Amino acid sequence: SGTKIWAAGGLADIGVGAYDQNIRLLADFCKTIKRPVYLRIGYEFDGAWNSGYASKTSYILAFRRIVEVMREQAVSNVAFVWQASASALDDAIDGSHENIQHWYPGDAYVDWLGLSWFLPADEVRHGLPSQRMLADEVVTMARLKNKPVMIAEAAPQGYDLARMTKANISPLWDGDAAQSRVAKTAQQVWQEWYRPFFEYIHANADVIRAVAYINAEWDAQPLWSAPYGQGYWGDSRVQLNPQIRQYWLDEVLQSWFWQHGGADLMEQLLE
C-alpha cells in the first residue's frame, strides 16, 4: 500500500511532538493491515509547491519524529520513503537547482529513496536539468547509501491518450498550458515518453525496486483541470489506445523482471 503524509502545514509542531498521538493512530492502523506500507513522509520536499518544507532543519526533525514514534509502536510492516520531486519545473520556479541532500534525515531513518517522473527523459529547456539528470541524482545517492529507489509517481505529463495528442504543460516550460496541441501516433508517444522511462528502469534495476504509475484522466479532476493552475497533465490511461496498451503489456508481463500478483505476493513483499 502506498501512503503519503503531507506535513508542510505543521512541520515545526510535528518535530517537537505536538502530533505524536496522531502518529500513534497511524501506527495502530498500519498494524491492522496485513500488507506492506510504503510511507512517503513529506513527499516532494524540494518542490517549490511545497514551500512549507523550506526549513530543512524542521523537515528533518519532523521526518525523524514520525519514524521514531512509529517504531516505538512496534510497527513492522512500514517502510519509510524519502521522496524528491526530481522536477525541472521546480528548478524553473526557483531559478536554480537545490542540493536535495540538505533535506536528508539520515540513513537510520530512511528505508527507500523516491522520485517523481513526469517529463520526457531527455527533454531540456531553459538550460535546466533533464528528467533523466534529476533522476540520476537520486539514483546515485541511493547507490552510495545502499538504499532501494521507488519511482513513487510517474505519468506522461501533457499527453492525452484519449485524444492522442501532446500539448504544452506550463508557461514555465514550453508555453501556455494545454495550448499548441499536436497529434501523436501511439508509436510516437511510446518512443518519446514510455520507452526511455522503461529503459531507465531496466538500466538502473540494481537500485530501482518499485514503480508507481498514475493511470488517470487528469482533466476529470478539479485540481488538475482547466484553467490548469497546476499545469496541464492530460490523460495517462494506457488502456485507451490499443497499441499503447499492447506495448505496456509487452513490458510489464515480463515475469523475469516484474513481480506479478499472486496468493503469496504480500508475504514476499514483507520479507
Side-chain angles (χ1 to χ4, degrees):
S1 296
T3 304
K4 58 188 181 181
I5 296 177
W6 183 83
L11 206 61
D13 289 338
I14 293 171
V16 297
Y19 287 92
D20 283 4
Q21 184 55 35
N22 301 73
I23 302 169
R24 293 187 189 101
L25 289 172
L26 175 61
D28 289 342
F29 169 73
C30 290
K31 286 191 286 188
T32 65
I33 55 177
K34 306 301 181 184
R35 61 182 61 206
V37 175
Y38 301 94
L39 185 62
R40 291 185 285 147
I41 301 172
Y43 59 97
E44 294 188 338
F45 52 81
D46 54 328
W49 44 91
N50 286 327
S51 58
Y53 301 140
S55 171
K56 300 168 183 64
T57 299
S58 294
Y59 175 86
I60 288 170
L61 292 175
F63 194 108
R64 290 177 176 177
R65 187 76 178 198
I66 292 170
V67 173
E68 288 167 353
V69 175
M70 293 284 284
R71 287 175 175 166
E72 287 170 3
Q73 302 306 301
V75 178
S76 61
N77 62 325
V78 176
F80 302 105
V81 184
W82 179 77
Q83 182 202 344
S85 69
S87 172
L89 270 297
D90 168 58
D91 292 347
I93 295 169
D94 292 336
S96 62
H97 179 62
E98 305 122 321
N99 185 344
I100 60 173
Q101 296 191 51
H102 292 164
W103 279 274
Y104 191 62
D107 292 349
Y109 296 91
V110 173
D111 295 314
W112 289 65
L113 273 63
L115 62 99
S116 298
W117 183 300
F118 294 115
L119 297 176
D122 298 305
E123 187 171 291
V124 175
R125 296 177 186 268
H126 317 300
L128 297 170
S130 68
Q131 179 71 76
R132 183 189 302 274
M133 294 173 186
L134 295 170
D136 281 347
E137 182 178 23
V138 177
V139 166
T140 299
M141 185 175 171
R143 284 198 181 98
L144 291 172
K145 295 183 174 297
N146 195 28
K147 303 281 186 181
V149 171
M150 170 185 294
I151 299 181
E153 300 182 21
Q157 186 177 4
Y159 289 88
D160 186 324
L161 304 188
R163 299 180 180 182
M164 291 304 295
T165 59
K166 171 71 168 67
N168 293 342
I169 63 172
S170 169
L172 290 168
W173 189 249
D174 50 7
D176 291 340
Q179 300 303 306
S180 302
R181 194 177 295 271
V182 177
K184 295 284 184 179
T185 66
Q187 186 174 19
Q188 286 174 322
V189 172
W190 191 264
Q191 293 293 328
E192 290 172 12
W193 195 91
Y194 290 93
R195 182 175 179 179
F197 173 66
F198 283 118
E199 286 179 344
Y200 187 86
I201 294 167
H202 281 268
N204 294 280
D206 59 309
V207 287
I208 298 178
R209 309 303 298 163
V211 178
Y213 178 83
I214 303 175
N215 198 63
E217 183 183 3
W218 295 84
D219 252 7
Q221 305 171 58
L223 180 62
W224 311 108
S225 60
Y228 305 113
Q230 304 292 326
Y232 174 68
W233 292 82
D235 193 328
S236 56
R237 294 174 292 170
V238 295
Q239 71 272 23
L240 296 182
N241 181 276
Q243 192 170 353
I244 289 178
R245 177 180 181 274
Q246 189 58 54
Y247 287 148
W248 177 274
L249 291 175
D250 289 344
E251 170 60 41
V252 300
L253 290 179
Q254 298 178 72
S255 58
W256 64 271
F257 188 79
W258 298 99
Q259 189 166 17
H260 293 156
D264 61 344
L265 175 62
M266 294 306 164
E267 288 72 16
Q268 292 180 50
L269 292 178
L270 284 170
E271 291 178 353

